[in-house]
Amino acid sequence: MSAVQESPVATQQRLKGVFSPVLTPFNADYSPDPDRFAKHCRWLVDQDVGLAVFGTNSEANSLGVAEKRRLLESLLKAGLPAARMMPGTGTCAISETIELTRAAVQAGCGGVLMLPPFYYKGVSDEGLYRAFASVIDAVADSRLRIYLYHIPPVSQVGITRGLVARLLKAYPGTIAGMKDSSGDWSNTSAMLSEFAAQGFDVFCGSESFLLATMRGGGAGCITATGNVNPAAIVNLYKTWKQDGAEDRQKGLDATRGVFAKFNMIAAMKSAIAWKSGREEWKTVRPPLVELNAEQRSALQAALDDVGFEMPNAGKLA
Amino acid sequence: MSAVQESPVATQQRLKGVFSPVLTPFNADYSPDPDRFAKHCRWLVDQDVGLAVFGTNSEANSLGVAEKRRLLESLLKAGLPAARMMPGTGTCAISETIELTRAAVQAGCGGVLMLPPFYYKGVSDEGLYRAFASVIDAVADSRLRIYLYHIPPVSQVGITRGLVARLLKAYPGTIAGMKDSSGDWSNTSAMLSEFAAQGFDVFCGSESFLLATMRGGGAGCITATGNVNPAAIVNLYKTWKQDGAEDRQKGLDATRGVFAKFNMIAAMKSAIAWKSGREEWKTVRPPLVELNAEQRSALQAALDDVGFEMPNAGKLA
């Protein structure tokens, strides 16, 4: 059953499938490298992975607004498809969220992934409603499709079902769905059962829940390890109704489990440095720290144990 | 005893006394109002309160980098003294922290108040050290004086004594002190006893700890309620060695206690709207929400009960 086909707001351009919060490559001086960024995006798109650039695993909040705008422009210049992009545009300040969201819409991005303002803790749903509403009203563009970004383990400010219901009622054509990175299946399941029938596209925030999300009527997943294990994740997305899906899910879980033993961002960047031969890939911006030599050896050994491969990783160098 | 007089890095320009994280006045459409901002700063300076503009109570993280730079310039144009300013410049992104810090130093600000990058949680002291070091190295200006901003209840990312020790050793002329908004006197006390003798100026983050901080060799306080109760707080700062200091401390606590029953920012803005007659003062940016009519009546009644006054509040209209 596809809930979306019944929705008044669904269009053929709706974003579906596997997305990756694209890792942002830095030079040794912490400046972003637009060339490797475009190469990585191309490698992902070629494997049918959509581009959730500027997500948590992109170190997006470690980038300034001007840096994000320049990086987005560099991807467009490199010919990457805006329709397959869901850039993160949510910041602490509605003024900057408006600026980034407007830029994404004007670039033709298929959607935006929007964090709530996350500096103040314990804020009310009324305050969060006003934040999202202010952005939507200011951008004032019917092309805008917002995916609400629920990641309380990091942002500490979550998006409740009450808030989703109120936003969907007020902005039915604009509130397009959610990325649920709570890590709590009961929350994802509740979002699916309450809102999927209204055309609200739920993406799980980790491929660990991909099979369950698809069975529950979801739209796909937006997952960190899409950066390094894209083919296998896309394969499960495309074959979730076929025999052996549970085994394919277990395979994904094994690979993810290796990365999850470390800081995921630093571990994925180390893996790309290893497989591509381009050492700068290991660089993360402070306050994150790259894997040390011992951690890196342990990561590589554990990845070898699960048969991890990155075909064509040389293209990322 | 003044620890600072023994310090090799102390200069006569060191910031001392009572500072206020200056409330940012917004218009009804949430745009900042530079005119009222300058009036409020003038009113504070006239009462001997320093200007910790762009702090937590300033809703600084609800402002974009460009907005903060424009507001700082507007204060300088209005003739407010840069030497009495300690703008908040810490953001999630070191690139933006560098930009804001450089602008503050070039404007002649007496210091900057610097949050650690606060999006990622559970980060290491090594990562935070690199973040601060990257900013100091990039700004590369001997005039830079950094006050580390420890406010774990909001930022969720704190500044440990180990981190302070490492930064002080590496950048003795630049790491000037700390604002401790942990609300935990044992932490403030430990910072004082470990670092004050090295010329590290500890400011408590609330006037509730002002007397204790001064007795412990601290430099003063940087406090929200400096926005609305400046004279009495400055009076205790100036007379803390004199008889009756405990009673004066209790008086401050009573007034603060009223504001603390509400969201402090919304309550202080409501109080200024009330006392100045300028209704727009009540406006807060999302995700915060202004006090409703019932809350406002309760606030005003409770402030009347403690004899709260704001002399010359008409100047804020």
Side-chain angles (χ1 to χ4, degrees):
Chain A
M1 179 210 84
S2 167
V4 171
Q5 290 171 356
E6 304 159 16
S7 161
V9 297
T11 75
Q12 60 270 40
Q13 297 109 5
R14 273 296 180 106
L15 297 171
K16 299 280 175 188
V18 178
F19 284 73
S20 172
V22 184
L23 291 166
T24 307
F26 295 111
N27 299 304
D29 67 356
Y30 301 136
S31 60
D33 182 341
D35 179 55
R36 271 186 292 140
F37 192 44
K39 284 176 179 169
H40 187 42
C41 286
R42 175 65 63 199
W43 185 81
L44 292 169
V45 167
D46 285 349
Q47 295 178 82
D48 244 352
V49 170
L51 306 173
V53 294
F54 313 140
T56 296
N57 283 276
S58 315
E59 300 171 76
N61 285 304
S62 300
L63 295 166
V65 166
E67 289 173 315
K68 283 183 255 196
R69 292 196 62 176
R70 281 196 299 270
L71 284 170
L72 180 60
E73 279 167 26
S74 74
L75 294 184
L76 298 169
K77 274 191 195 159
L80 285 149
R84 290 285 285 150
M85 291 182 194
M86 187 199 289
T89 62
T91 73
C92 295
I94 52 174
S95 47
E96 294 193 335
T97 302
I98 290 166
E99 178 182 344
L100 289 169
T101 303
R102 188 178 282 140
V105 170
Q106 290 175 349
C109 293
V112 299
L113 185 57
M114 198 176 290
L115 278 168
F118 54 83
Y119 182 66
Y120 296 102
K121 308 304 186 291
V123 296
S124 64
D125 273 6
E126 169 66 20
L128 294 175
Y129 176 83
R130 290 186 192 185
F132 286 110
S134 297
V135 173
I136 296 168
D137 293 344
V139 173
D141 193 312
S142 62
R143 295 171 296 177
L144 175 60
R145 295 287 177 274
I146 293 177
Y147 296 85
L148 303 167
Y149 189 5
H150 179 58
I151 182 168
V154 183
S155 65
Q156 308 277 324
V157 176
I159 294 169
T160 64
R161 301 207 292 284
L163 178 59
V164 172
R166 190 172 165 198
L167 284 166
L168 261 180
K169 190 172 177 191
Y171 301 102
T174 301
I175 300 296
M178 163 174 278
K179 176 184 182 189
D180 184 359
S181 294
S182 64
D184 172 7
W185 172 251
S186 70
N187 187 68
T188 312
S189 177
M191 291 287 176
L192 284 164
S193 57
E194 285 194 33
F195 303 117
Q198 297 174 55
F200 184 78
D201 288 334
V202 176
F203 292 82
C204 51
S206 151
E207 75 275 27
S208 311
F209 301 110
L210 178 54
L211 185 56
T213 297
M214 297 314 296
R215 286 174 173 171
C221 72
I222 304 172
T223 181
T225 42
N227 279 288
V228 287
N229 193 28
I233 302 173
V234 168
N235 183 49
L236 176 58
Y237 172 74
K238 290 183 175 169
T239 64
W240 69 270
K241 289 179 178 170
Q242 298 171 24
D243 286 350
E246 280 87 357
D247 288 340
R248 291 191 288 284
Q249 177 70 64
K250 278 180 196 162
L252 300 186
D253 295 347
T255 299
R256 184 182 180 89
V258 174
F259 287 100
K261 283 180 200 161
F262 304 87
N263 174 284
M264 288 274 285
I265 299 170
M268 291 189 294
K269 285 188 156 182
S270 279
I272 297 178
W274 174 39
K275 294 291 187 182
S276 71
R278 181 77 177 257
E279 192 57 21
E280 292 99 318
W281 256 110
K282 73 177 180 191
T283 310
V284 290
R285 261 196 182 178
L288 303 185
V289 175
E290 74 283 351
L291 297 197
N292 62 31
E294 189 185 353
Q295 291 169 320
R296 197 155 154 180
S297 296
L299 171 72
Q300 294 178 189
L303 287 174
D304 279 340
D305 281 348
V306 296
F308 175 75
E309 288 181 0
M310 280 187 74
N312 299 313
K315 291 188 177 177
L316 305 179
Chain B
M1 180 209 84
S2 168
V4 170
Q5 289 171 358
E6 302 158 18
S7 161
V9 299
T11 75
Q12 61 272 40
Q13 297 108 8
R14 273 296 181 105
L15 296 171
K16 299 281 176 185
V18 177
F19 284 73
S20 172
V22 185
L23 292 165
T24 306
F26 294 112
N27 297 304
D29 66 358
Y30 301 136
S31 59
D33 182 341
D35 178 57
R36 269 186 294 141
F37 191 43
K39 285 177 179 170
H40 187 42
C41 287
R42 175 66 61 198
W43 185 81
L44 292 169
V45 167
D46 285 349
Q47 295 179 82
D48 244 351
V49 170
L51 305 174
V53 294
F54 313 139
T56 297
N57 283 275
S58 315
E59 298 170 78
N61 286 303
S62 300
L63 294 166
V65 167
E67 290 174 314
K68 283 183 255 197
R69 293 195 63 176
R70 281 196 299 269
L71 283 170
L72 180 60
E73 280 166 26
S74 73
L75 294 184
L76 299 169
K77 274 192 195 160
L80 286 149
R84 291 286 285 151
M85 293 183 193
M86 188 199 289
T89 62
T91 72
C92 296
I94 52 173
S95 46
E96 294 193 334
T97 301
I98 290 166
E99 177 182 343
L100 289 170
T101 303
R102 188 177 282 141
V105 170
Q106 290 176 350
C109 292
V112 299
L113 185 58
M114 199 176 288
L115 279 169
F118 54 84
Y119 182 66
Y120 296 102
K121 308 305 188 291
V123 296
S124 64
D125 273 5
E126 170 66 20
L128 293 176
Y129 176 83
R130 290 186 190 185
F132 286 110
S134 296
V135 173
I136 296 168
D137 293 343
V139 173
D141 194 311
S142 63
R143 294 171 295 176
L144 175 58
R145 296 288 175 275
I146 293 177
Y147 296 85
L148 303 167
Y149 190 4
H150 179 59
I151 182 168
V154 183
S155 65
Q156 307 277 323
V157 176
I159 294 167
T160 64
R161 301 208 291 282
L163 179 58
V164 172
R166 190 172 166 199
L167 284 167
L168 260 180
K169 189 172 178 189
Y171 301 101
T174 301
I175 300 297
M178 163 173 279
K179 176 185 181 188
D180 183 357
S181 294
S182 64
D184 171 8
W185 172 250
S186 69
N187 188 68
T188 312
S189 177
M191 291 288 175
L192 283 163
S193 57
E194 286 194 34
F195 303 117
Q198 296 174 57
F200 184 78
D201 289 332
V202 176
F203 291 83
C204 51
S206 151
E207 76 274 28
S208 310
F209 301 110
L210 178 54
L211 184 56
T213 297
M214 296 314 297
R215 285 176 173 170
C221 72
I222 304 173
T223 181
T225 43
N227 279 287
V228 288
N229 194 27
I233 302 173
V234 169
N235 182 49
L236 175 59
Y237 172 73
K238 290 185 175 170
T239 65
W240 68 270
K241 290 180 179 170
Q242 298 171 23
D243 286 349
E246 281 87 356
D247 287 340
R248 292 191 288 284
Q249 178 70 63
K250 279 181 195 159
L252 300 186
D253 295 348
T255 300
R256 184 182 180 90
V258 174
F259 287 100
K261 284 182 198 159
F262 304 87
N263 174 284
M264 287 275 285
I265 298 170
M268 292 188 294
K269 285 187 155 182
S270 280
I272 296 178
W274 173 40
K275 293 292 187 182
S276 71
R278 181 77 178 256
E279 192 57 21
E280 291 99 318
W281 256 111
K282 73 178 180 190
T283 310
V284 290
R285 262 196 182 177
L288 303 185
V289 176
E290 75 284 351
L291 297 197
N292 63 30
E294 189 184 352
Q295 292 169 320
R296 197 154 154 182
S297 295
L299 171 72
Q300 294 177 189
L303 287 174
D304 279 339
D305 280 349
V306 296
F308 175 74
E309 288 180 2
M310 280 186 75
N312 298 313
K315 291 187 177 177
L316 305 180

